[in-house]
Amino acid sequence: MPHIHINAEGCKACMLCIDFCPRACITVSEQINSRGHHPAMFVEGSQCTGCRICATMCPDVCIEVFREGTAPTDTAQATTNE
């Protein structure tokens, strides 16, 4: 199932992603980020289709869209000593 990741610290709460999401998959968070804004937040269990309109509309490039079979990677790349 598609889902999105929003960089809450980078979000300036312009709400363009909320306004343009055709499935209402994004809402305003109750949390406040370090910039003093209530950032956008993905609604878990929503009917996201992975259309990427939210990411396209975000002026600060704070949204990543993941479709089926893809997920964010939290692992750091290992380096080898030769």
Side-chain angles (χ1 to χ4, degrees), residues 3 15 25 27 33 58 61 65 70 73 76 79 82:
H3 66 281
M15 306 307 161
C25 298
T27 190
N33 65 18
C58 182
V61 194
V65 178
T70 62
T73 56
T79 57
E82 294 183 16

Side-chain angles (χ1 to χ4, degrees), residues 16-75:
L16 288 172
C17 57
I18 294 171
D19 292 341
F20 283 92
C21 179
R23 298 270 181 130
C25 298
I26 308 170
T27 190
V28 178
S29 173
E30 292 182 12
Q31 303 293 323
I32 297 175
N33 65 18
S34 63
R35 298 166 81 182
H37 301 294
H38 290 275
M41 178 180 82
F42 179 63
V43 177
E44 294 296 330
S46 63
Q47 297 298 314
C48 180
T49 62
C51 70
R52 301 179 189 213
I53 293 173
C54 57
T56 301
M57 295 309 299
C58 182
D60 296 312
V61 194
C62 293
I63 301 175
E64 292 179 274
V65 178
F66 299 95
R67 295 187 177 177
E68 292 181 45
T70 62
T73 56
D74 294 327
T75 58

